[in-house]
Amino acid sequence: MKKKATFCNSAISATSRSDEKAVGGNVVSKRLKKKVRRDAPEGVLRFKLDMCSKAGDVVEGLRLYDEARRNGVELNQHHYNVMLYLCSQNGGENGSDLKLICKRGFEIFQQMIIDKVPPNEATFTNAARLASVMEDPEMAFDLVKQMKGFGIMPKLRSYGPPLFGFCKKGMVDKAYEVDAHMIESGVVAEEPELSSLLKISADINNADKVYELLHRLRTSVRQVMESTVRVIEDWFKSEHAAKTGKENWDVIKVKEGVVRGGGGWHGQGWLGHGQWRVARTQMNKKGVCGSCGERLACIDIDPRETENFGISLSKLAFGREVQADFIQFQEWLQQHGPFDAVVDGANVSLINQQTFNFSQLNTVVNRLQDKSPSKKLPLVILHKSRVNGGPAQSPYNKKLLERWKNSGALYATPAGSNDDW
């Protein structure tokens, strides 16, 4: 070890002038510094532990860890996290191996705290996984809750050990508590988490929770796995599902809920009473169901999502555009809007065209006006140069532009602005 350290120091002092910077000749090249770190005991240990992690070799990892501690090698966050990961992923072939490795894992976690090595999200997640291996979801959840005390935000993977652990044990209330903590932390559950919550909710016949989770699944998952399909089928085939539902409901509230929710979902709970007919089918290209013949509702983003999208887009535009220009557009929009449709004038006018085609643009504008419930012209966005020069000077095109302008449907973006914003 001493020889290696001496060699490294000699190597640093032997750096060529081309690698030195003008700070007294003591700053070595980044490449040499990296080599020194790699050849140091801590760097060698890191490399070997990473190889153990790749191979899943917990026994060799523990041997290297014990050897490093005996030799006084200073362990950092990465070393500890690799060891916790190895212990949480490798339980051995029998129960005694499992307990021994988990015991060593918790000892390593405690040693990390004693050594005052700052933990990160991976540290707590791996420790929670250790608790899960020991079938102790309470401890796993407690570790996740401790993260905020260290200024660390949990990730979705952090919640897996306690949530799946509680679901496996049938501890429904605790599973719901983990779910609530996730939502509070701004973590969005994905299909595995929602499917597990859905199953235990269906198992205890919690119809309201099943309803909530089905719609959470609807909004966040594009296509469900076969295992989730089976959970959903089992619920709708159950006697409890047949007994659940209102016999009378407010039709107006349901219609309002569909509009407010973006179409297809009313949020009024289970409507109807009796046995469900469960069948697997296909939809045709027009969205018509091959089983019942009904057409799928068109789902739009809901008003809250629309507002968030608009705010985000405005922030981006303010960062990229001249602020005065964009504010001017917003003020104009307040005065002349809202519109049922927006036309990117340049894109439409140049489709399959070498030159700017106002007639083509007019065809699209008229068609959109016909489709509009209010029969209002769509908002036509054109760059100022397209409104004042070139083809815009012809009498026919001038008349078109004048019509749109007088109707409050034409906005000409100023010079220096990007009409896409």
Side-chain angles (χ1 to χ4, degrees):
M1 295 294 283
K2 286 181 181 178
K3 284 182 180 178
K4 184 176 282 187
T6 305
F7 171 77
C8 292
N9 289 336
S10 300
I12 292 171
S13 63
T15 308
S16 65
R17 289 186 181 182
S18 63
D19 286 332
E20 293 174 356
K21 296 181 181 178
V23 190
N26 293 324
V27 181
V28 297
S29 70
K30 287 183 180 179
R31 183 181 295 178
L32 191 53
K33 279 186 174 180
K34 190 175 180 181
K35 184 180 187 306
V36 171
R37 284 197 301 270
R38 189 174 61 241
D39 291 342
E42 295 82 5
V44 173
L45 177 62
R46 178 182 180 128
F47 174 78
K48 289 182 176 179
L49 287 178
D50 285 347
M51 291 299 101
C52 289
S53 177
K54 189 178 286 188
D57 193 345
V58 65
V59 174
E60 177 62 10
L62 287 168
R63 189 194 69 75
L64 289 167
Y65 169 80
D66 291 337
E67 182 181 71
R69 290 201 62 79
R70 282 196 304 271
N71 293 331
V73 176
E74 187 175 343
L75 275 68
N76 59 32
Q77 185 186 83
H78 182 83
H79 296 132
Y80 280 113
N81 281 348
V82 172
M83 288 308 306
L84 290 171
Y85 171 78
L86 274 169
C87 291
S88 68
Q89 298 297 314
N90 294 271
E93 295 181 359
N94 55 59
S96 59
D97 287 344
L98 175 70
K99 287 181 180 179
L100 178 62
I101 290 171
C102 286
K103 183 172 180 287
R104 288 302 313 274
F106 283 119
E107 286 173 1
I108 290 167
F109 179 62
Q110 289 298 321
Q111 190 62 51
M112 185 178 184
I113 304 301
I114 292 166
D115 290 348
K116 296 182 179 178
V117 175
N120 62 4
E121 178 271 329
T123 309
F124 282 104
T125 297
N126 285 324
R129 286 171 179 161
L130 271 173
S132 177
V133 173
M134 294 295 288
E135 297 186 355
D136 191 345
E138 283 280 6
M139 182 190 288
F141 190 28
D142 187 55
L143 284 161
V144 173
K145 288 188 280 189
Q146 286 180 42
M147 291 170 74
K148 287 187 180 180
F150 286 83
I152 301 166
M153 288 305 295
K155 292 184 179 179
L156 179 60
R157 65 180 187 177
S158 312
Y159 287 101
L163 180 64
F164 297 134
F166 286 133
C167 288
K168 186 179 178 182
K169 287 177 176 281
M171 300 170 70
V172 183
D173 290 339
K174 294 299 294 184
Y176 290 163
E177 191 182 334
V178 176
D179 185 38
H181 198 278
M182 267 200 298
I183 295 168
E184 184 188 330
S185 300
V187 175
V188 179
E190 294 183 358
E191 184 178 356
E193 294 77 25
L194 292 172
S195 186
S196 292
L197 287 165
L198 188 62
K199 186 177 187 312
I200 60 167
S201 298
D203 287 345
I204 63 165
N205 298 322
N206 187 340
D208 289 340
K209 200 69 180 178
V210 169
Y211 182 81
E212 174 204 324
L213 288 161
L214 280 174
H215 285 296
R216 284 171 65 185
L217 199 66
R218 174 185 70 87
T219 56
S220 61
V221 180
R222 178 73 62 179
Q223 181 177 344
V224 294
M225 298 181 293
E226 177 64 27
S227 56
T228 305
V229 173
R230 286 197 293 270
V231 172
I232 296 169
E233 282 181 328
D234 289 345
W235 161 256
F236 284 106
K237 288 176 180 176
S238 70
E239 288 183 15
H240 195 82
K243 295 174 184 176
T244 298
K246 301 173 185 176
E247 293 188 13
N248 300 300
W249 57 86
D250 190 327
V251 176
I252 294 172
K253 280 188 176 180
V254 171
K255 285 183 177 178
E256 287 174 349
V258 169
V259 173
R260 189 171 58 250
W265 174 59
H266 46 73
Q268 300 297 307
W270 298 107
L271 304 181
H273 196 71
Q275 193 71 41
W276 291 83
R277 184 163 67 89
V278 182
R280 296 200 182 195
T281 184
Q282 291 182 331
M283 318 305 296
N284 68 18
K285 290 180 180 179
K286 293 183 178 179
V288 176
C289 173
S291 176
C292 67
E294 294 288 341
R295 189 173 183 176
L296 286 173
C298 179
I299 306 297
D300 197 2
I301 59 174
D302 63 42
R304 186 180 63 180
E305 289 172 325
T306 304
E307 186 180 354
N308 289 340
F309 173 74
I311 291 168
S312 300
L313 192 62
S314 295
K315 284 180 180 176
L316 278 172
F318 273 123
R320 306 282 179 89
E321 288 287 299
V322 176
Q323 284 200 13
D325 289 347
F326 198 73
I327 290 170
Q328 182 183 336
F329 167 68
Q330 288 181 314
E331 290 172 348
W332 183 91
L333 197 60
Q334 285 291 330
Q335 183 182 346
H336 295 90
F339 293 89
D340 294 329
V342 185
V343 181
D344 184 332
N347 278 7
V348 170
S349 301
L350 290 167
I351 292 173
N352 300 322
Q353 300 290 326
Q354 294 296 321
T355 56
F356 207 85
N357 190 327
F358 273 96
S359 178
Q360 188 164 275
L361 174 58
N362 187 45
T363 301
V364 173
V365 169
N366 290 338
R367 184 69 183 272
L368 287 170
Q369 184 180 21
D370 290 341
K371 289 169 70 73
S372 166
S374 64
K375 299 303 176 188
K376 185 176 180 178
L377 282 166
L379 168 58
V380 181
I381 302 284
L382 278 172
H383 199 271
K384 195 173 183 179
S385 61
R386 299 291 190 185
V387 174
N388 296 329
Q393 295 301 309
S394 78
Y396 171 78
N397 294 339
K398 271 186 175 180
K399 193 177 288 186
L400 280 180
L401 289 165
E402 199 64 33
R403 174 185 169 234
W404 297 337
K405 188 176 180 182
N406 292 338
S407 301
L410 174 66
Y411 188 82
T413 55
S417 284
N418 184 337
D419 52 339
D420 285 338
W421 288 117

